[in-house]
Amino acid sequence: MQPAENTPLEQETTIDMKDIVALCKRRGFIFQASDIYGGINGFWDYGPLGTELKNNLRDYWWKSMVTTPPIGPDGTPVQIVGLDSAIIQNPEVWVASGHVGGFSDPMVDCRETKKRYRADHLIILIPNDDTPWLATIEDDENFLKARLKKVGKGKSLSDFTQKNLTEVELTDFDKILAPHAKTKGTLTDPKEFNLMFETGIGASQDDKVTAYLRGETAQGIFINYKNVLDSSRVKMPFGIAQVGKAFRNEVNPRNFIFRSREFEQMEMEWFCHPDDSQKWFEFWKSERQKFWQQVGLNQDNILMRDHDADELVFYSQGTCDIEYKYPFTDPDFGELEGIANRGDYDLTKHQEHSKTKLEYLDPERNNEKYIPHVIEPAAGLTRGVLALICEAYTVDPNRPSGVYLNFTPAMAPKKAAILPLTAKEDHVPTAQKLYLELREEFAVDLDIKQNIGKRYARQDEIGTPYCFTIDNETISDGTVTARERNTMAQERIALDNVAAYLRDKIKP
Ligand code: ATP
């Protein structure tokens, strides 16, 4: 949201999503899927650097969950094991989970503009006279203001009462001027819209069975809970973690990769005794908040939002969203991860539908039999990538690129670049030798061509924390220039010492 007239300070700090999207394309982070065919709405391809960034975030999550899980309240590490379940499962899974039938958003169509809106995302401005009731889009403040200016008959926001469309009587729909429409009364009744992607299993049209691409990774975990219990040595409480693709036929994919139709999730289901669930809920809220700080998100841009009782789905005993202040939600926040105390809802449903006993016999509690309760920290991997990029994007008019990505070393796709000053014979072999040494330990880039300024600009834009330049002095006295990304400060260090220098600089 760019104000019409900015003070110089605001110009420096206002981040425009268009610039972020352009950088992502220019430098090979994220491309529109099927680009050369004109794209396909809601799908994205990750380029060479976007893939590295996404893998770094995924691997860090995996490490923090499965490889070195946190220390629990009793002072010993908690137990979490990994899983990689199929994207397509028996369709009954999605019936049991409530996704087939229940996994839908109420939508309204505009008969005039043919646009479709999520009913719960429209707010209605109700005037105190016979001006039409204006429908606007809730999470788009610019749109709301522009709409008011255009069709608000000189009124300001305070002249209206606001309601959510879902609270408006159907009989009053005739009074509403839909967003984008010229005539009032064009909104249809809200209809349910199922988000599950259907596919057909089987080669012949006649015996094709309808199946679904998973709408979340979580169900793959619930249906393997018993397999994991029977095959590994975990005991209550424990977690199962999974990272992978999820698919939702979102009605209105938008805000770059924030709301896509194909995306990735990092979900962990934590199984525990019912009496302990609230304690673990609080534990995971705090661990997950720490995680997002560790990967580089500024605490000021993170909001831990506990759901009010009237917001909770009926089976949830508590939900807290970790929200991030994305440029397109600013000054508000958008969901990055949801942490929910789901009670025994999921396992009970799968026990009912699969007719398989999913109770736990607890040797530590006098062989008490119970269905464990579940705490679910469910994060978006691709939404996390977007948060990392937005957070890292730093405007700096004092450098040629005008911008750099301030990734933490752990998240940066490349930890260092090795740049021979010229493509001259003696610079290149020394650079190649250093590259061959460093690449054994770090993700590094060897960039030979172009003038050095352009190469620094490229490394700034892809967020590489350190550059090492090989020049004539390297040949004569065995030193290289080390350049730090954020300060652009340069110092001479020994060529032999580059690996130790980098190791020291980027250690967490
Ligand atoms: P929203 O309210 O934004 O639709 P949700 O509450 O339905 O999200 P969950 O079902 O809790 O989301 O999924 C867990 C996480 O998966 C979310 O916090 C988000 O990071 C991610 N996610 C969900 N839907 C999408 C999507 N369409 N595109 C990208 N990420 C998504």
Side-chain angles (χ1 to χ4, degrees):
M1 283 175 217
Q2 200 107 33
E5 273 179 73
N6 286 331
T7 63
L9 182 70
E10 276 173 333
Q11 253 165 10
E12 268 176 37
T13 52
T14 307
I15 291 176
D16 196 325
M17 270 317 283
K18 280 206 295 296
D19 296 335
I20 293 183
V21 175
L23 184 144
C24 285
K25 179 164 187 188
R26 185 166 73 246
R27 293 303 186 188
F29 282 92
I30 300 163
F31 310 118
Q32 164 82 63
S34 310
D35 215 358
I36 61 169
Y37 287 92
I40 171 169
N41 196 11
F43 297 89
W44 300 92
D45 292 338
Y46 288 74
L49 296 171
T51 308
E52 299 283 348
L53 176 63
K54 180 152 66 67
N55 288 352
N56 289 346
L57 182 57
R58 178 200 65 190
D59 293 350
Y60 192 75
W61 183 88
W62 192 260
K63 181 173 182 305
S64 76
M65 287 292 182
V66 181
T67 321
T68 54
I71 307 296
D74 68 355
T76 62
V78 300
Q79 292 178 88
I80 304 178
V81 291
L83 180 79
D84 187 4
S85 68
I87 284 176
I88 295 173
Q89 300 280 356
N90 187 315
E92 267 305 300
V93 170
W94 303 102
V95 177
S97 69
H99 283 80
V100 174
F103 192 45
S104 52
D105 290 331
M107 304 303 304
V108 288
D109 289 325
C110 174
R111 290 186 208 96
E112 180 191 318
T113 63
K114 309 284 177 251
K115 285 188 185 293
R116 175 170 279 175
Y117 309 95
R118 244 174 89 164
D120 57 344
H121 281 184
L122 286 186
I123 50 169
I124 309 300
L125 305 177
I126 304 173
N128 46 20
D129 57 16
D130 59 359
T131 311
W133 297 16
L134 305 184
T136 70
I137 299 166
E138 175 193 54
D139 59 3
D140 188 341
E141 198 185 323
N142 275 355
F143 182 80
L144 195 151
K145 284 189 189 146
R147 195 70 181 143
L148 207 56
K149 212 164 170 187
K150 204 162 168 194
V151 286
K153 302 206 167 154
K155 292 188 163 63
S156 68
L157 201 54
S158 56
D159 298 324
F160 293 88
T161 313
Q162 293 189 29
K163 261 192 186 178
N164 197 292
L165 181 71
T166 49
E167 298 159 358
V168 172
E169 298 287 337
L170 271 178
T171 46
D172 283 332
F173 271 38
D174 283 351
K175 302 178 186 152
I176 298 175
L177 181 63
H180 310 99
K182 295 199 176 81
T183 45
K184 55 181 188 171
T186 59
L187 284 182
T188 61
D189 300 355
K191 309 189 264 289
E192 295 294 308
F193 191 99
N194 196 285
L195 298 183
M196 294 295 284
F197 267 104
E198 280 186 17
T199 186
I201 301 178
S204 100
Q205 280 304 331
D206 301 340
D207 15 285
K208 250 195 186 127
V209 173
T210 300
Y212 304 94
L213 305 189
R214 67 181 175 200
E216 59 177 32
T217 54
Q219 297 306 320
I221 299 181
F222 294 126
I223 59 175
N224 278 290
Y225 152 82
K226 190 172 159 24
N227 282 337
V228 171
L229 257 188
D230 293 349
S231 62
S232 62
R233 299 176 58 83
V234 289
K235 46 189 187 16
M236 220 52 70
F238 72 96
I240 305 178
Q242 161 152 253
V243 181
K245 294 254 178 181
F247 303 82
R248 294 183 190 177
N249 202 354
E250 296 279 359
V251 182
N252 188 8
R254 65 185 177 288
N255 292 331
F256 196 24
I257 57 171
F258 179 82
R259 188 169 299 287
S260 319
R261 291 183 163 136
E262 175 175 341
F263 54 97
E264 280 179 78
Q265 294 185 309
M266 309 185 286
E267 298 197 290
M268 194 272 289
E269 306 302 324
W270 178 254
F271 302 94
C272 62
H273 188 276
D275 291 351
D276 297 339
S277 69
Q278 209 50 30
K279 172 185 91 180
W280 287 112
F281 179 51
E282 295 303 326
F283 175 82
W284 284 111
K285 264 165 57 173
S286 135
E287 287 299 322
R288 299 306 305 146
Q289 183 176 15
K290 276 192 253 165
F291 171 88
W292 289 110
Q293 289 169 352
Q294 282 161 0
V295 295
L297 302 189
N298 184 330
Q299 181 48 40
D300 294 345
N301 293 332
I302 299 176
L303 175 73
M304 301 295 290
R305 194 177 69 80
D306 281 302
H307 285 208
D308 296 333
D310 60 354
E311 236 184 306
L312 294 177
V313 278
F314 66 94
Y315 51 78
S316 177
Q317 305 185 2
T319 298
C320 174
D321 284 345
I322 305 186
E323 299 187 337
Y324 179 72
K325 198 195 275 178
Y326 294 94
F328 48 83
T329 58
D330 190 6
D332 293 327
F333 294 73
E335 181 175 331
L336 172 60
E337 168 160 353
I339 305 163
N341 180 345
R342 300 179 61 89
D344 62 2
Y345 178 78
D346 306 274
L347 289 181
T348 305
K349 283 282 160 202
H350 285 302
Q351 176 166 283
E352 259 169 53
H353 283 252
S354 68
K355 316 257 178 319
T356 306
K357 283 250 171 291
L358 297 177
E359 286 164 321
Y360 181 72
L361 183 72
D362 196 335
E364 315 235 317
R365 295 187 194 239
N366 291 327
N367 286 340
E368 184 188 342
K369 247 191 197 171
Y370 57 88
I371 300 252
H373 280 208
V374 169
I375 310 300
E376 175 190 83
L381 171 57
T382 42
R383 266 193 205 176
V385 166
L386 181 59
L388 291 184
I389 293 174
C390 294
E391 182 77 43
Y393 189 91
T394 312
V395 175
D396 178 5
N398 296 322
R399 64 177 77 207
S401 54
V403 64
Y404 64 100
L405 293 184
N406 179 16
F407 290 129
T408 61
M411 291 299 113
K414 301 287 175 193
K415 315 303 174 197
I418 296 137
L419 313 173
L421 185 62
T422 66
K424 276 202 297 197
E425 267 169 34
D426 40 0
H427 294 174
V428 174
T430 310
Q432 272 165 340
K433 192 161 164 275
L434 180 61
Y435 168 70
L436 287 175
E437 179 198 341
L438 293 184
R439 69 171 199 165
E440 293 297 322
E441 195 179 341
F442 311 97
V444 284
D445 209 11
L446 172 66
D447 192 1
I448 296 176
K449 296 254 163 65
Q450 269 187 340
N451 77 46
I452 190 73
K454 284 207 172 130
R455 280 181 284 160
Y456 279 147
R458 172 169 191 276
Q459 296 301 335
D460 282 349
E461 282 204 340
I462 69 173
T464 308
Y466 290 91
C467 290
F468 300 108
T469 305
I470 313 295
D471 54 18
N472 287 340
E473 269 177 84
T474 316
I475 312 304
S476 62
D477 70 0
T479 63
V480 301
T481 303
R483 175 187 184 270
E484 202 268 337
R485 176 194 62 206
N486 290 12
T487 57
M488 294 185 284
Q490 301 195 358
E491 59 178 318
R492 298 287 310 181
I493 62 164
L495 177 62
D496 292 348
N497 201 28
V498 171
Y501 175 93
L502 186 59
R503 199 177 298 127
D504 180 58
K505 290 283 186 189
I506 70 175
K507 69 169 184 267

